[in-house]
Every structure is written in C-alpha cells, then in structure tokens.
Amino acid sequence: MLEILFIFVLAVMLGFEIITKVPPTLHTPLMSGSNAISGVTLVGAVIAAGSGEGFMSGVLAFIAVAMATTNVVGGFLVTDRMLEKFKKKD
Amino acid sequence: MNSDLQILAYLVASVCFVIGIKRLSLVRTARSGNRISALGMLIAVVATIAVTESLSWPVLIAGMLVGGAAGAVLSVRVPFTAMPELVAAFNGFGGGASAFVALTEIGGSSALSENLAGASYSIAVVASILIGTLTLTGSGIAYLKLRGSKMVHPLKGSARHGFNATLVLVTLACGFWLANSTGASAVIAAVLLVTGAAAAGFFLVLPIGGADMPVVVSLLNSYSGLAASATGFVLGNQLLVVAGALVGASGLILTRIMCKAMNRSLTNVLIGGIGDDAGSGDRSGYTGVKETSAEEVAMLFDAADSVIFVPGYGLAVAQAQHLVRELGEKLEKRGVKVRYAIHPVAGRMPGHMNVLLAEADVPYDQLFELDQINSDFQQTDLVMVIGANDVVNPVANTDPTSPIAGMPVLEVWNARTVIVVKRSLSPGYAGIKNPLFEAENAVMFFADAKEGLQKVISEID
C-alpha cells in the first residue's frame, strides 16, 4: 500500500506541473480529453468482472464495464471531433 | 498478481497519458495529444485482458459492446451545441464506473469482513464509492442544467449550507461505518453510503448557477480522476493510481484557470446561487430600447469600415455559425476589417465559441480573446452581438453588488454602434438586466440568430 501511495503522490505532483497555461480555446477539449483518461477505471472494471462471484457482482461489473467504456470511447472520439475543427486556414 | 508484462504496458500507458495531457494544452499539438492518450488506453486495456487470469468474458463483451456503441453513437451524433452537456454525461459515467468497481469488491468473495488488507484498503473502497457516486449524480445535475433546466435547491441561504453540510457529514459517517463493518452490515452500510453520496452530489450541485456549470464539470472531472485513483488503491493497480492522479491534479489546475477567467474564487462558485437566487426585481422593464430591422442593419454594415462580431450561446442554439462566417466573408471582400471577440465563458463552456466558429471555417487569426480586443472597441465602427448577454453586460464593471460584479466583460459599448441580435429582452444565464440594451449607441434586432442573419445577408446582396 505504501508503494502505491508513493506513486500516487508523485503522480499528483506531476499532474499539477503538466498544465501551466492553457488558451481558453482548449479548455473544453482539455477537459474532455482528460475526462476520457479518467475512464481508465475500465481497466479496474475488466479485473473486477473476472474476480467477483455470483449474480450480483456480475451485474455490478457489467454496469462498471459499460459505463467506463462509454466514458473512454465517447470521450476520446468527442475530443477528436472538437479538435478536428481547429485546423488553421491556409 | 501484476506480471512484468502488465507493469511495462502500464508504464507505457502512463507515459502516453502524460504526453497526451501535455500536448492537449497547445493548439498545434492538441489533436495528436488526444490520440496518444487514446493509444495509451488501448495498450492498457489490451494488456489487462491479456494477463488477467480469470476473465468473465460474457460480462466483458456485453459491457464493452453496450458502452462502446453508446459512446461512439453519442459522440458522433450529438451536435456541436450540445457538447458541453455530453462531456458532463461522459464524466458522470467515468465516476460511476469507479464506484461500481469498488462495489463489486464488497459484493465479491473478498468482502470487507475478512479485513484482509487492513484499514487503508477499507478507506480506498469507501473513497472510491463516495467520490464516484457523487461524481455520477453531480454530473447528472450539471448535464440537466447545461441543457437549460432551471432546477433550484429547495432551501436558501444558511439553511441550505446547513443541510448540505449535514448531508456530507452523514455520508462520511456511513463511509466510516462501512470501513469498520463486516458481513451483512457491510452491505447495508454500502447501500447507505451510495444513497448518501448520490444525494450529496445532487444537492451540492443543485444551487450552483447554470453559468458556472463549466467550472463544476471541470471540478467533477478532477473528482472522477480521484475516484479512479482510489479504485487503483483498492485493486493495487498502479495505472489507475497514476492516471487518476494525473486527471485529478490537472483537472484541479484547469478548474482554477477557468475560475480566474471569470475573476471568481472556486469557493464563490461552489457556494452557488448565481443565476438562481438573483432577485426578480432585477428583471425590471427596459426603457428607451431602440428596435431595428434587417434593412437598417444592412445599412449600418454598409457604412462600417471595421466590424467586430461577439458570439454567444444564442448563436450556438440557432446554429448560425456558418451564416456569421458568410456575412464576415462578404464584408471582408468589401475591404471591411472583420474580427471576432471571444469571451472566455461565452456559451456554455469555455472555448465553446472557438469550437463552433472553427467548425464554420472562420479563420483562426480573426478570433481574439478578451484581453487582446477589449481596448479596440473604441476604434471600431460597428459591433454585432449575436445571442450573447451576460458577457457584454456593463453592470459587471459598474455595480459591485451585481452577481456578475468583477467578471471581465467585453466592453462593446465603447464602439460607435452596437447591434444586438437577440430573440427578446429576456435575461441571460445570470438572470439580470443588461443596461447595454438601453444604451444610446445600441440598437436591438429582435430575431433568432439564424433567421436574422439570413435576412441581413440577403439585404446586403
């Protein structure tokens, strides 16, 4: 557990450092794109789907996988669709 | 339980996420950044499926098909005007998923009863359920508010703060109980915790005004990252911890940047009330409003050498972005200097207008941010405000008691003439009167942005 805490603290600090100045244009895409990354919980859902026993945990795992996949697939696609519009005019 | 291969894959994915987020903060690299993040996600999921020994294929396939289809269809079908609420919805799903993963831990054989991994494990389970559920319902309210629903908190003032604080404390108590309970009582505690967290998300977001929803969505995005991180602690999964922490921290920074754009503190936003609590006395009638016609607007354009368009949510709702571009191009051909002034919170999400105008192929170098253009209004012949209201309200500068006091606004009234294209005199999101509409140099063109612009363009031809 302490090893994980170690990673967590460093990752939080890295997260604070990555973003310093963002033009307002990119606020929405950045929010949407990082939101897609938070769908990483899909990895957890995949593991949970295999570890539980019984009907109830199957249902819970199904909901978790479906929600996380919606977040991941939808999040990345919608961000891409927004950013596609930011082409410079030649 | 983590094999070396898995750890390596997770490392690659984490690096992808860091590079991805970094690149998303520059226009030039943003799109590739998003794709790099997506690649990282793909690697992580494939590696997890490859190395996890007991996979429940039916659940996995069914869940991924349903979620994948929903995500793909929604993201492609939803019109650009509805993107803000879509992001809010996706965010809720992410938080919800984390909570459900943690719940399977309680339902599964490795119940808290065993207390195998000790206190820190219990705390992680509770945190994951609490933050995840709160994100789910909070995002749900944000979604509805962004769609224009005018829900308000049943309580006002200190009664509301008292109620919300009690709710949070009771929910935390349920969490404490869950962390210390065994067997059947753990299930009851979990149900209570979910109910409390759901109610907390609901009631905490409820009093916050619609105009502040972008900040709320950004904060909830940060929460969904933390929920993922907590789930990572539960499962002992490094990737979840790292990715969740990255999103949690960067989301918080973005939230602060957005608050700064509105010149408000985060606390001020979260305490809420703006737009919903605004006194009805503020909506008093207007006097001396001058109405104009398409023909007259066309004549004003004929006489102008420099024009600035100020788009707002009304432009988005009417889908009039292509017509603005058409009008702008026509004016440019006549040698008129055409620019667009973008307020950081115009629309329902920061950057909303940029996305919309970019979709209509408005040249990027014609878009100007508030700081860049505010001093130029004085030397401008004609400003056309299209479906914007609060972001051009002079009250923000003059009345310190106004709900939007201190918010930087576009000082359009300094231009020689201001045309306001708006359907009616109804107040904007903040629910307050706009003295600009009564100004000496302002004329109102009452029309839906699309129809109005169409008429103006045909008059100009």
Side-chain angles (χ1 to χ4, degrees):
Chain A
M1 195 56 89
L2 274 180
E3 274 172 46
I4 298 226
L5 185 67
F6 183 96
I7 300 174
F8 174 75
V9 172
L10 288 183
V12 166
M13 299 194 70
L14 180 59
F16 279 132
E17 295 300 321
I18 302 178
I19 300 182
T20 43
K21 232 180 142 200
V22 192
T25 322
L26 283 176
H27 286 179
T28 301
L30 178 61
M31 194 193 302
S32 169
S34 61
N35 169 41
I37 294 176
S38 70
V40 70
T41 199
L42 174 58
V43 164
V46 168
I47 297 168
S51 67
E53 280 163 29
F55 179 71
M56 201 51 208
S57 67
V59 172
L60 291 174
F62 167 76
I63 299 174
V65 173
M67 278 186 156
T69 314
T70 310
N71 188 192
V72 168
V73 174
F76 282 124
L77 281 179
V78 91
T79 311
D80 193 64
R81 209 177 135 207
M82 279 182 220
L83 293 171
E84 187 190 4
K85 307 295 180 192
F86 288 146
K87 280 173 296 196
K88 273 225 169 89
K89 214 175 189 183
D90 307 310
Chain B
M1 81 182 236
N2 288 323
S3 70
D4 289 349
L5 175 70
Q6 192 177 9
I7 301 269
L8 281 176
Y10 285 177
L11 181 60
V12 173
S14 302
V15 171
C16 286
F17 293 157
V18 172
I19 296 173
I21 295 179
K22 180 89 201 157
R23 290 178 79 91
L24 263 176
S25 56
L26 271 177
V27 177
R28 198 165 33 82
T29 55
R31 199 171 184 203
S32 66
N34 185 52
R35 291 182 168 183
I36 291 170
S37 304
L39 178 70
M41 188 67 74
L42 185 69
I43 293 171
V45 173
V46 169
T48 307
I49 293 178
V51 301
T52 305
E53 278 162 21
S54 65
L55 277 175
S56 170
W57 284 108
V59 169
L60 210 57
I61 292 172
M64 284 190 166
L65 279 179
V66 170
V73 169
L74 285 174
S75 61
V76 177
R77 285 268 176 88
V78 167
F80 263 81
T81 41
M83 293 248 155
E85 51 261 46
L86 187 64
V87 175
F90 284 152
N91 186 47
F93 286 152
S98 290
F100 278 103
V101 172
L103 282 172
T104 59
E105 287 287 305
I106 294 174
S109 54
S110 61
L112 293 177
S113 54
E114 320 262 332
N115 237 353
L116 281 174
S120 43
Y121 172 83
S122 312
I123 293 170
V125 170
V126 170
S128 178
I129 296 174
L130 176 66
I131 306 172
T133 312
L134 189 143
T135 305
L136 178 63
T137 54
S139 300
I141 298 299
Y143 171 85
L144 291 172
K145 287 214 169 198
L146 284 165
R147 289 193 67 108
S149 162
K150 292 257 175 200
M151 296 167 300
V152 291
H153 200 289
L155 299 169
K156 298 255 173 277
S158 56
R160 182 175 72 212
H161 301 316
F163 173 83
N164 282 354
T166 313
L167 187 61
V168 170
L169 287 177
V170 168
T171 308
L172 286 174
C174 292
F176 187 74
W177 183 27
L178 173 61
N180 289 291
S181 56
T182 53
S185 68
V187 175
I188 300 172
V191 171
L192 286 176
L193 176 62
V194 169
T195 315
F202 184 84
F203 285 108
L204 287 176
V205 178
L206 209 51
I208 303 174
D212 290 333
M213 277 306 130
V215 176
V216 174
V217 175
S218 177
L219 186 67
L220 288 173
N221 177 34
S222 170
Y223 285 179
S224 72
L226 291 179
S229 227
T231 309
F233 274 95
V234 172
L235 299 172
N237 186 297
Q238 298 90 338
L239 178 67
L240 255 63
V241 172
V242 171
L246 285 175
V247 175
S250 63
L252 206 57
I253 296 283
L254 182 60
T255 310
R256 274 185 47 201
I257 294 177
M258 281 160 59
C259 282
K260 253 191 191 155
M262 295 197 295
N263 200 18
R264 311 251 313 270
S265 73
L266 184 56
T267 333
N268 182 283
V269 169
L270 293 182
I271 285 175
I274 291 198
D276 295 337
D277 283 357
S280 52
D282 288 330
R283 302 179 192 199
S284 55
Y286 287 88
T287 50
V289 171
K290 291 179 287 296
E291 196 178 337
T292 187
S293 64
E295 203 185 342
E296 217 177 321
V297 171
M299 280 162 62
L300 285 169
F301 275 117
D302 280 341
D305 288 325
S306 53
V307 172
I308 298 178
F309 290 104
V310 178
Y313 189 60
L315 176 98
V317 173
Q319 294 278 349
Q321 64 271 30
H322 296 278
L323 286 169
V324 179
R325 196 241 323 142
E326 200 184 324
L327 180 58
E329 278 179 355
K330 271 196 198 316
L331 295 171
E332 261 196 302
K333 272 189 198 135
R334 295 180 177 179
V336 177
K337 186 176 181 192
V338 176
R339 285 177 294 176
Y340 296 79
I342 312 290
H343 191 278
V345 294
R348 289 291 182 272
M349 195 151 268
H352 195 176
M353 292 299 124
N354 303 69
V355 176
L356 217 62
L357 292 174
E359 187 206 359
D361 283 330
V362 171
Y364 204 73
D365 52 15
Q366 286 184 1
L367 306 188
F368 291 88
E369 286 171 26
L370 187 125
D371 303 343
Q372 299 171 299
I373 205 160
N374 234 357
S375 53
D376 286 11
F377 283 113
Q378 274 171 345
Q379 296 99 41
T380 301
D381 293 335
L382 188 59
V383 169
M384 186 180 230
V385 177
I386 308 167
N389 190 346
D390 298 331
V391 297
V392 293
N393 195 335
V395 159
N397 292 354
T398 55
D399 179 3
T401 63
S402 164
I404 59 167
M407 179 173 97
V409 287
L410 290 162
E411 295 166 1
V412 295
W413 52 88
N414 288 332
R416 216 174 62 199
T417 310
V418 182
I419 304 170
V420 181
V421 185
K422 206 172 170 313
R423 275 178 304 185
S424 67
L425 283 171
S426 64
Y429 239 36
I432 51 170
K433 183 179 165 179
N434 190 340
L436 169 71
F437 304 161
E438 298 174 326
E440 200 60 41
N441 58 340
V443 288
M444 300 296 296
F445 180 33
F446 292 113
D448 167 84
K450 195 168 191 171
E451 287 166 19
L453 286 173
Q454 230 144 22
K455 282 185 202 154
V456 172
I457 289 172
S458 60
E459 286 288 340
I460 282 182
D461 279 334

